[in-house]
Amino acid sequence: MPDYLPHTHEDIADMLGFLGLGSLDELFDAVPAALRLASGLGLPEGLPEPDVLGRAAGRGAANGAAGLVCFAGAGAYDHEVPPVVRALAGRSEFVTAYTPYQPEVAQGGLQAIFEFQTMLSRLFGLPIANASLYDGASALVEAVNLGVGVTKRGGVLVSAGVHPQWRAVLRTFAAGTGHRIMEVPLREGVTDWSAVEKESGIGVIVAAYPNYLGCLEDLGPARRMCDERGALLALAADPVAAAIVRSPANWGADVAVGEGQPFGTPLSFGGPYLGLFCCAADHVRRLPGRLVGETLDADGRLAYVTTLRAREQDIRREKATSNVCTNQTLMALTAAVQLGWLGTSGLAEVATRCARGARYCRDAMVGIDGVEPLSGATPTLREFALHLRLPAELAIERLAEEGYLGGVALDALVGEGGDGSLGADAARHGLLVAVTERRTRDEIDGLVAALDKVLR
Amino acid sequence: MPDYLPHTHEDIADMLGFLGLGSLDELFDAVPAALRLASGLGLPEGLPEPDVLGRAAGRGAANGAAGLVCFAGAGAYDHEVPPVVRALAGRSEFVTAYTPYQPEVAQGGLQAIFEFQTMLSRLFGLPIANASLYDGASALVEAVNLGVGVTKRGGVLVSAGVHPQWRAVLRTFAAGTGHRIMEVPLREGVTDWSAVEKESGIGVIVAAYPNYLGCLEDLGPARRMCDERGALLALAADPVAAAIVRSPANWGADVAVGEGQPFGTPLSFGGPYLGLFCCAADHVRRLPGRLVGETLDADGRLAYVTTLRAREQDIRREKATSNVCTNQTLMALTAAVQLGWLGTSGLAEVATRCARGARYCRDAMVGIDGVEPLSGATPTLREFALHLRLPAELAIERLAEEGYLGGVALDALVGEGGDGSLGADAARHGLLVAVTERRTRDEIDGLVAALDKVLR
Amino acid sequence: MAASGGRASSAPLVGRDNEPTIFELSRPGRASWQLPTTKVPETPLEALVAPEHRRAAPVDVAEVSERDLVGHFTRLSHRQYSVDLGAYPLGSCTMKYNPKVCDAVAALPGLASVHPAAPAALAQGWLATLVALEAALCELAGMAAATLQPAAGAAGELTGLLLMRAHDEARGERRRRVIIPDSAHGTNPASVTLGGYETTTVRSDERGLVDLEALRAVLDTDVAGMMLTNPNTLGLFEEDIAEIARCVHEVGGLMYYDGANLNAILGVVRPGDMGFDIVHLNLHKTFATPHGGGGPGAGPVAVAEHLVEFLPGPRPVRLDSEDGEARYGWHTPERSIGRVHGWHGNALVLARALAYIEVHGADGLHKVAERAVLNANWIRERLSSTFDVAFDRPCMHEVVFSAAALHKRTGASAHDVAKGLIEEGFHPPTVAFPLIVEDALMVEPTETESYETLVALAEALERVAARAQEGTLEGSPRTTPVRRVDEARAARTLVATFDARR
Amino acid sequence: MAASGGRASSAPLVGRDNEPTIFELSRPGRASWQLPTTKVPETPLEALVAPEHRRAAPVDVAEVSERDLVGHFTRLSHRQYSVDLGAYPLGSCTMKYNPKVCDAVAALPGLASVHPAAPAALAQGWLATLVALEAALCELAGMAAATLQPAAGAAGELTGLLLMRAHDEARGERRRRVIIPDSAHGTNPASVTLGGYETTTVRSDERGLVDLEALRAVLDTDVAGMMLTNPNTLGLFEEDIAEIARCVHEVGGLMYYDGANLNAILGVVRPGDMGFDIVHLNLHKTFATPHGGGGPGAGPVAVAEHLVEFLPGPRPVRLDSEDGEARYGWHTPERSIGRVHGWHGNALVLARALAYIEVHGADGLHKVAERAVLNANWIRERLSSTFDVAFDRPCMHEVVFSAAALHKRTGASAHDVAKGLIEEGFHPPTVAFPLIVEDALMVEPTETESYETLVALAEALERVAARAQEGTLEGSPRTTPVRRVDEARAARTLVATFDARR
Ligand SMILES: Cc1ncc(COP(=O)(O)O)c(C=O)c1O
Ligand SMILES: Cc1ncc(COP(=O)(O)O)c(C=O)c1O
């Protein structure tokens, strides 16, 4: 059976002859014999493509969730991705290119990222947007690193409204950088900034908008605390909600990060996603990741190129602003295509439809016996948290039997036993429900009926 | 909801203003009012894309056959089409191009067709291959037209081994051209040429190789009859089988036609498929359809262009060799990609695997009680016909319940009551079974067991 | 040594070299194919094919690695213009943008993987698709029923002519002539011949319309019918259509509508209402099923009530059902002319067209016509001082200019203008058709091109005309992978395969 | 008026114009989006978002028709080089051909449409995928377990350093230094800093390998570990690796393997067997998950037994089951350093890599290494008289040349050579890396390029060198959509959005 290697027997003989070698094995003479694998790899023999595709399809079929109507969110959303976006973003020129080290033959990708940067800058209201980071969580880590770098203060106040898994990632990486991460609890779904009034040495304050329970918080207090302490405000913003709510810049954010998955990337079991990163112009020389800029070619023609490369590790090495090299360019390009498809009106329409669906769903659900809103009366947008009579994981299991992925159990996000502001009971019984523009009234009504049944 | 039309209100106003018109309606002033649709079309309003895609998917789900393991053939086969072929043949440059009227910007498509012509010419052994016709049946019609045109004799002997539906198409179009189509019956699965020894005025003799029952016939008698009468031999050849059996040219065919679907085109409920057409060099000026040839550009560089256009209807009008204009170029290009992927060894391998599978399946099936081979001991290749104790349509219905599309009922091909050589009983109880390289031993064993069960 | 498949120098992005053929990239011993593991016993070929049937040597197709296969065809794709790259204002061809959702429909496994001989019970979704499309097309054409079998416009024409014939014969007649205007597309007369009729050409008058007097002069009871497009191939609406139809019907002839130009009148006026009896529709033109570089298309034929009994069969039909649920089957009309396709027509093309119709709906299709006609008239007006408008009246969805005056003045023909336009980044309009206009340039912008694109196209044509004036057009195009090709040489030397090259 | 989206003049096929930005194509009132019919009550925005939270005006993204969107991005794609167009011999980057079957795997709805928070019971197929991939990677690396969370190589490095730290701390230690050779990739030192360590650079000797004496001189109990790629970034195998590992282990340090170059040694020698404790693998290099113009990739980290307890969690694991059927769940190690990704890593990239491994199998992966090394050595030998080979010993999968002599002789730098090569139809090799080689040209042909392609590449580089000699290289590239770009200007003027343009 053929493989992907073009070498014929004659090729190999010719090439070895040219090299004065007697066998392919001699190519590895530099590898000490004692270290070499004596008996080959403990892996099966290769399978033909159709068999491999069949296996993968079999694994796909074993994912029960793939067939369910999706009301799960928590930072990953089931949005419409039209065939036209898939076709364009899937063009092999974009998919099989490397990082644009030779701009003369990479104008296509570079321009698409330039357009992405512009769109994101407009969405978040900040003048600088980079070419992507790994995901929302890693973007948050970089935002904090930037903030600490600017302020030279390692204290970081993080609202407990920030996605619990992002906070976990932040904690992990703080072990290396030594930042002091302090969490600010939620009360009735909004951050209780008063709880940390006394903290000092604060370089960065982090909030989420809307927060992970879906609540729109007043960010005035956070901004004021920043002003008082000379700290930077870093916002984790939902980029879809941003189409209809106040922008990070409007709240006075110095850095805004987010998860760009909703812009054209399928749910994909969590990745590859798209870390969004924007900042004020002051901080551009500390920007993590790549940045595409405009310039001229030898003939004076407009051209695009990655710029301010002196920040990056291939030049600054240990003094680089970040270690990120390979990022998520294809997802950024996909977002540019998806946003181009949505356009000004479509983006607002999607956000509005999400909010409508969520409102409709929430109103119906809080009417069910055994369901309470978790965040009290705080306004929510496209997602909301409920307290169920049953443990949420159990409810989700039963809803799956009815054909719905009914949401995300808070337990699964914050870990059993809750986290800080979310007590063990709330975590255990908390269900986060998200509604996108794809969900129909029938589907919502169906979920509501199923939940009612499940809770009986 | 947006549509695909880019015109804004301002655009329309501007453009109408430029034209001195007051409304879009005035654009149609030339259309007599009495004729115009007063009340609009009796069609529903437009649906958004996702709804339309959902509907189509719903219709797809209503096709039970899509989920069955396919042993149906009769000229349409379930062959392997790898992702790489789909990706390349699906590139939008190929899909959304027009017929190459401007060769300077169509070298890509033209060269691909030039390569297709070369591959087909090598496969069938004849020097000239055109750029495709609608399907195998239409290619046969054109072959007969060419033969009658060359010989100036309207008598056409057609073996009953030619696909019954192709023969039907031939009869339909003969009503226009006035050819006298005479069918030559089969006996024990092979054409009984002796039955038509006395016919005169014969311009073309048509045979199939293998014939539609899967039998490999000796074509020597047909060729001899042609030689005796100065008639042309037109062969309907299976292009996959051709990889391992004698080529049309080798049998002395003047024209060879076939159905090219097996080369990269999915089953597609019967279309778009690919009419293959090859002929001897003598007849090139009577060739139907398009032909790509090589030439030079103004700088002396090799270039491709459609050639001998003077045969075509846009120039010769009523004297054209054929009326075919739009053909099946994309399928021809797909075939070039698929054949490139298969290559010399893969093409032979596919054919051999089909023959192996068919042999294995046939051997097992004829052992079942209630099953007899329909064509006696005549050798078959990738497909074979059986006589079942039950009506074949009933058997197929029951096999479907077991998960198999068990074959094609001869009835469905020849019409109830049989045709010529195939009596009503044989037609009713005849099942045509095809095995491609995709069918596994387990699948074949499963079908055999199911058939055994069904016939009990 | 074989040519390198790794050099991208044939891709216009980096170079202008020729792309080697796949045969030049081929190297014995390479391969790409991979086939599933089947565990079927590996009977040797010798035991499968008797010597008298066995091929002597394998077919030498080509031997390349998957990597080189991909490089080769990707580079070829970059040497090919397409709608997705830019405007394609080819008159008569209706090269509009094809919504990608239709590709997604055609790729659905539930549609694409169905065998055409699957019993009706197992293909209900397909039958429903075909029945729905037939109904929609009939509504658009003002007809009673349709066959979806014909694979392209020309196949539809011939089918229509055979229907005419069957109709004749059913009346015990044997009419011999079919009338066609001199502006007609070449497939019309070619089909007439294949339908067993003779073509009688009727000339166009100074309006660019059928000359009524000339028509009346050739009408008699030997006339089986008349083929017409309306708007005609000059982009003009045949205003006298009612009268034409009346005259043809009066002698017992049938009216055949060539639907290649239906885009102009969707939802405005219907062929049936104009008096036509038989209509073919080019789904690959009007209903945006992409043209594939030369096909596949589909050319369904719709007919008035009195011809339904002759339609090709088997036809997809909705069956009576007791439970009210839709059930579909096949039915062949009593006096059917028979099959015109090996199976059921270009089914996936039909599915695309239905999706296109559903997504547009009644209102959307009407808008298509409006905007197509608006665009064409804007271009007509804008360029009327640069080129001569062939006929001095508003056009429908396309407009025919004549470069004859320019040609005489500057030596630059319509052909030269076309080559110059390529350098400006546009695919040229249709040239040299229709035949009755000297140095014709036939522009069909289609409704999917924007106002800005029209302006850019007009400006580009103006620049080209200016270059003609300067005498600098001859070397065009200079920016394409190859420059002007020698068509005559191709016919003279006739190298139609790689093997004929040496 | 907005720019025309219908002009293809920016596509190299027909022209050399700039492609307008989507913002220039934009025209108020146009749109492409279509959303499903949901029948959800149309509550007005005002009732959904309180005034104090409401955005004042919609975000002005861009307003284009679907047709112009398609034209725009299709034209942009024609302005982009890619593996599918031709060879891409970027050293250190391993730009091999990516089998299309992996795209098909990643597109499977059963994989692509699964929500990452779906309960384990509903994501068994995904968990099985991850567990299978982890096992295969561990076998290839000679390690005990792995985390699949890191999204790229650099993320893997930092994860590895945090594991080092956790290991230190578990022993009650607080070591401060990590050793890195001067040839290392820039992400290594950058990660060291983020891991809270200081970088100690150790120089390479005249062999291009770690200078053992220099290494011994910097080793002490303050050293947490050493990061190394092997083969190193000069394409050379560190022959003393066993001794290096011994020395580092002797002072209590850990050995970290940067897996960017694993392609060279697949199935030949394993990092674990060389003495490494922590290994990251660049799936987007070795396992042919396409690079996407800059990502996504995946950088799983595999570790030796003694570090398993620190791995990030939650980890996909196979559960004990009574019925023998495989069941999967999540498990977080006791002393886990915590999450390093928002979810489970770049899952679809992981699925691609598994498919790649399955289709190749043990033997196929070994062949990958053999052919990659064969190709690199052939190029090395062939070009050794044209450029200086940086180090005079056989290379592994890539080779570093120095254009320093050429530069001195002709004034043409490695950068100039790269630009000249573009005109020859090849993407250039990596230039200016590794930093320790003056005027470095780092060529990595990869195993998927054929002998013919290597010959063509060598010939092209020879022609470029000859042009350097003639002094005609400076103006290159002249065939690309833009010519040499002014990188300094970009940094000076900093226009990183369309809005900053004016
Ligand atoms: C006016 C007219 N009639 C008929 C045809 C023939 O249609 P087809 O090419 O689909 O056979 C065409 C297409 O070129 C046409 O433009
Ligand atoms: C030697 C080496 N190490 C590390 C990296 C970093 O990997 P990534 O770009 O995936 O973060 C690279 C990739 O450029 C590399 O070549």
Side-chain angles (χ1 to χ4, degrees), chain B residues 7 81-82 96 113 167 169 171 239 272 274 287 307 316 336 358 360 368 400 407:
Chain B
H7 301 73
V81 185
T96 74
I113 297 305
R167 281 182 278 140
V169 173
R171 284 193 299 270
L274 170 62
L287 190 73
T307 191
R316 293 233 20 228
Y360 176 74
I368 297 174

Side-chain angles (χ1 to χ4, degrees), chain C residues 31-57:
Chain C
S32 307
W33 61 272
Q34 301 203 30
L35 296 172
T37 306
T38 61
K39 304 216 166 76
V40 169
E42 304 200 352
T43 321
L45 184 58
E46 292 65 33
L48 296 166
V49 187
E52 64 273 24
H53 286 292
R54 213 177 303 140
R55 183 184 260 275

Side-chain angles (χ1 to χ4, degrees), chain D residues 380-467:
Chain D
R380 183 186 172 283
E381 186 66 28
R382 165 72 186 247
L383 289 176
S384 57
S385 52
T386 307
F387 299 99
D388 296 324
V389 176
F391 294 92
D392 187 24
R393 52 207 331 265
C395 62
M396 300 297 283
H397 66 307
E398 58 197 358
V399 53
V400 180
F401 295 102
S402 169
L406 184 87
H407 197 165
K408 199 169 290 168
R409 210 164 59 237
T410 68
S413 66
H415 200 65
D416 294 321
V417 169
K419 301 305 179 192
L421 191 60
I422 292 175
E423 246 177 63
E424 297 283 337
F426 281 103
H427 193 283
T430 297
V431 289
F433 179 77
L435 302 178
I436 59 168
V437 175
E438 217 184 323
D439 263 308
L441 278 171
M442 188 180 193
V443 183
E444 180 177 8
T446 84
E447 69 281 2
T448 56
E449 295 304 340
S450 69
Y451 189 16
E452 289 82 2
T453 297
L454 299 186
V455 172
L457 173 61
E459 287 173 356
L461 277 163
E462 286 160 359
R463 275 194 299 275
V464 170
R467 280 184 55 205

Side-chain angles (χ1 to χ4, degrees), chain A residues 98 101 134 323 325-326, chain D residues 92-93 152-155 157 185 187-188 229 233 258 260-261 280 282 284-285 291 433:
Chain A
Y98 200 75
Y101 288 150
Y134 304 136
N323 69 335
C325 180
T326 292
Chain D
S92 208
C93 302
E157 293 170 18
H185 192 259
T187 49
N188 291 185
T229 78
T233 61
D258 173 343
N261 294 336
H280 92 248
N282 290 65
H284 44 302
K285 299 183 193 287
H291 201 272
F433 179 77

Side-chain angles (χ1 to χ4, degrees), chain A residues 3 5-7 11 15 18-19 24 28 30 32 35-37 41-47 55 59 62-65 72-74 76 84 91-99 102-109 111 114-115 117-118 122-123 127 134-135 165 172-173 175-177 209 216-217 242-247 267-272 292-299 301-302 304-305 307 313 317-318 323 326-330 341-346 353 356 359 437 439 441, chain D residues 16 18-23 32-36 38-39 41-43 47-48 52-53 55 59-62 70 72 76-77 79-84 88 93 95 110 112 114-116 122-123 125-126 129 139-140 154-155 158 165 184 186-187 191 193-194 196 239 241 264 268 273 285 290-296 337-339 341-344 346-348 354 358-363 367 370 375 377-378 381 419 447 451 454 483-486 489-491 495-499 501:
Chain A
D3 52 32
L5 306 175
H7 301 72
D11 291 343
M15 295 171 82
F18 181 70
L19 294 173
L24 285 167
F28 297 94
L35 303 181
R36 294 180 64 168
L37 258 183
L41 289 166
L43 289 177
E45 285 307 284
L47 294 173
R55 273 191 182 209
R59 295 201 190 100
N63 288 321
V84 66
R91 287 188 61 81
S92 71
E93 295 86 343
F94 297 137
V95 175
T96 74
Y98 200 75
T99 301
Q102 298 289 344
E104 295 83 1
V105 290
Q107 289 296 300
Q111 181 169 338
F114 181 83
E115 296 180 1
Q117 291 173 178
T118 304
R122 289 179 178 186
L123 182 64
Y134 304 136
D135 64 355
Q165 293 174 180
T172 302
F173 288 110
T177 48
Y209 188 69
L216 288 168
E217 305 191 28
I244 52 176
V245 301
R246 286 173 65 181
S247 72
L267 287 167
S268 317
F269 203 51
V292 175
E294 205 173 273
T295 188
L296 300 178
D297 79 348
D299 292 342
R301 201 190 286 259
L302 189 69
Y304 302 93
V305 68
T307 191
Q313 10 62 33
R317 302 180 72 83
E318 61 266 35
N323 69 335
T326 292
N327 55 29
Q328 309 277 124
T329 300
L330 190 61
W341 174 74
L342 286 170
T344 302
S345 56
R353 289 191 184 205
R356 279 184 191 143
R359 173 70 59 93
E437 80 287 357
R439 296 288 76 80
R441 182 177 183 150
Chain D
R16 281 283 179 284
N18 279 322
E19 173 66 14
T21 61
I22 194 168
F23 313 107
S32 307
W33 61 271
Q34 301 203 30
L35 297 172
T38 62
K39 303 214 166 78
E42 304 201 351
T43 320
L48 296 165
E52 64 273 25
H53 286 292
R55 184 183 260 275
V59 187
D60 175 15
V61 182
V70 167
H72 177 61
L76 285 185
S77 77
R79 296 165 73 82
Q80 177 65 50
Y81 197 93
S82 64
V83 168
D84 281 11
Y88 220 131
C93 302
M95 289 295 282
V114 180
H115 193 281
L122 299 172
W126 259 119
T129 302
E139 172 61 21
L140 285 161
L158 183 45
R165 220 184 151 85
T187 49
S191 298
T193 303
L194 287 168
E239 301 184 2
I241 184 62
V268 175
D273 301 335
K285 299 183 193 287
H291 201 272
I337 59 166
R339 281 188 169 277
H341 186 270
W343 294 103
H344 320 301
N346 282 346
L348 284 181
L354 179 59
E358 288 181 336
V359 82
H360 281 81
D363 191 47
K367 273 194 201 163
E370 277 180 355
N375 279 2
N377 275 286
W378 188 91
E381 186 66 28
K419 301 305 179 192
E447 69 281 2
Y451 189 16
L454 299 186
R483 297 184 60 191
R484 225 179 275 202
V485 309
D486 184 348
R489 185 180 202 278
V495 176
T497 65
F498 180 71
D499 302 320
R501 183 176 280 188

Side-chain angles (χ1 to χ4, degrees), chain A residues 22-316:
Chain A
S23 74
L24 285 167
D25 233 41
E26 289 175 27
L27 289 165
F28 297 94
D29 277 354
V31 181
L35 303 181
R36 294 180 64 168
L37 258 183
S39 55
L41 289 166
L43 289 177
E45 285 307 284
L47 294 173
E49 276 193 6
D51 294 19
V52 169
L53 193 51
R55 273 191 182 209
R59 295 201 190 100
N63 288 321
L68 304 178
V69 179
C70 182
F71 286 91
Y77 301 94
D78 181 28
H79 286 288
E80 189 65 27
V81 185
V84 66
V85 171
R86 281 180 220 203
L88 293 173
R91 287 188 61 81
S92 71
E93 295 86 343
F94 297 137
V95 175
T96 74
Y98 200 75
T99 301
Y101 288 150
Q102 298 289 344
E104 295 83 1
V105 290
Q107 289 296 300
L110 284 162
Q111 181 169 338
I113 297 304
F114 181 83
E115 296 180 1
F116 164 76
Q117 291 173 178
T118 304
M119 290 169 174
L120 186 59
S121 154
R122 289 179 178 186
L123 182 64
F124 280 177
L126 290 161
I128 300 292
N130 80 2
S132 83
L133 292 166
Y134 304 136
D135 64 355
S138 73
L140 180 63
V141 172
E142 297 285 354
V144 167
N145 289 350
L146 182 147
V148 171
V150 167
T151 60
K152 308 269 182 284
R153 285 197 297 279
V156 183
L157 295 178
V158 181
S159 158
V162 170
H163 194 300
Q165 293 174 180
W166 299 19
R167 280 183 277 140
V169 173
L170 194 59
R171 283 194 300 270
T172 302
F173 288 110
T177 48
H179 309 330
R180 274 182 306 121
I181 310 285
M182 288 161 278
E183 291 201 353
V184 192
L186 296 182
R187 190 188 288 177
E188 292 283 303
V190 294
T191 318
D192 180 9
W193 297 106
S194 67
V196 288
E197 253 164 15
K198 309 234 177 61
E199 296 293 347
S200 65
I202 302 303
V204 193
I205 294 182
V206 184
Y209 188 69
N211 68 28
Y212 88 98
L213 298 174
C215 300
L216 288 168
E217 305 191 28
D218 176 7
L219 299 174
R223 180 65 253 175
R224 275 193 297 281
M225 283 181 74
C226 284
D227 290 340
E228 285 157 22
R229 292 148 196 260
L232 258 49
L233 178 61
L235 264 196
D238 177 336
V240 168
I244 52 176
V245 301
R246 286 173 65 181
S247 72
N250 193 280
W251 280 113
D254 300 285
V255 189
V257 299
E259 175 49 69
Q261 175 272 333
F263 295 149
T265 294
L267 287 167
S268 317
F269 203 51
Y273 280 5
L274 171 62
L276 305 174
F277 193 100
C278 276
C279 68
D282 301 348
H283 309 314
V284 68
R285 270 156 223 280
R286 291 195 175 265
L287 190 73
R290 299 213 169 85
L291 183 69
V292 175
E294 205 173 273
T295 188
L296 300 178
D297 79 348
D299 292 342
R301 201 190 286 259
L302 189 69
Y304 302 93
V305 68
T306 53
T307 191
L308 297 188
R309 305 240 10 252
R311 299 164 294 114
E312 292 182 42
Q313 10 62 33
D314 54 341
I315 297 175
R316 293 233 21 228

Side-chain angles (χ1 to χ4, degrees), chain C residues 13-295:
Chain C
L13 174 71
V14 286
R16 280 284 180 281
D17 288 356
N18 279 323
E19 173 67 13
T21 61
I22 194 167
F23 314 107
E24 290 158 290
L25 294 174
S26 172
R27 181 80 200 265
R30 287 211 185 114
S32 307
W33 61 272
Q34 301 203 30
L35 296 172
T37 306
T38 61
K39 304 216 166 76
V40 169
E42 304 200 352
T43 321
L45 184 58
E46 292 65 33
L48 296 166
V49 187
E52 64 273 24
H53 286 292
R54 213 177 303 140
R55 183 184 260 275
V59 188
D60 175 16
V61 181
E63 298 179 70
V64 298
S65 66
E66 183 171 312
R67 189 272 169 284
D68 281 352
L69 185 80
V70 167
H72 177 61
F73 285 104
T74 305
R75 290 189 295 273
L76 285 185
S77 77
H78 280 227
R79 295 165 73 82
Q80 178 64 50
Y81 197 93
S82 64
V83 168
D84 281 11
L85 270 187
Y88 221 130
L90 272 177
S92 206
C93 301
T94 317
M95 289 295 282
K96 57 174 77 172
Y97 168 67
N98 305 290
K100 298 290 169 204
V101 70
C102 300
D103 294 357
V105 166
L108 286 167
L111 297 179
S113 73
V114 180
H115 193 281
L122 299 171
Q124 288 292 299
W126 259 118
L127 284 157
T129 303
L130 302 182
V131 166
L133 178 65
E134 182 187 337
L137 295 179
C138 286
E139 172 62 20
L140 285 160
M143 292 284 139
T147 173
L148 304 176
Q149 286 187 25
E157 294 170 17
L158 183 46
T159 302
L161 288 155
L162 294 176
L163 290 167
M164 232 179 236
R165 217 184 155 85
H167 170 258
D168 265 20
E169 283 169 6
R171 292 187 301 187
E173 291 188 349
R174 182 61 196 94
R175 295 177 178 231
R176 282 175 312 176
R177 291 191 300 126
V178 171
I179 298 179
I180 290 182
D182 56 3
S183 64
H185 192 260
T187 49
N188 291 185
S191 300
V192 166
T193 304
L194 287 168
Y197 289 108
E198 277 161 37
T199 298
T200 300
T201 304
V202 60
R203 70 160 185 273
S204 305
D205 61 18
E206 65 293 337
R207 299 173 304 168
L209 306 180
V210 170
D211 186 321
L212 265 179
E213 283 320 301
L215 173 63
R216 290 205 185 92
V218 296
L219 280 176
D220 60 30
T221 55
D222 197 31
V223 168
M226 178 171 192
M227 296 181 84
L228 213 58
T229 79
N230 195 14
N232 64 25
T233 62
L234 300 162
L236 304 175
F237 194 85
E238 298 279 356
E239 301 185 3
D240 305 323
I241 184 61
E243 176 60 11
I244 293 171
R246 206 192 52 71
C247 295
V248 172
H249 285 150
E250 200 171 59
V251 297
L254 295 176
M255 288 293 291
Y256 182 97
Y257 183 85
D258 174 342
N261 294 335
L262 190 77
N263 208 53
I265 57 165
L266 288 168
V268 175
V269 53
R270 308 190 304 173
D273 301 335
M274 293 185 224
F276 287 95
D277 306 285
I278 311 174
V279 176
H280 93 248
L281 302 167
N282 290 65
L283 303 191
H284 45 302
K285 300 182 191 288
T286 314
F287 301 97
T289 57
H291 202 273

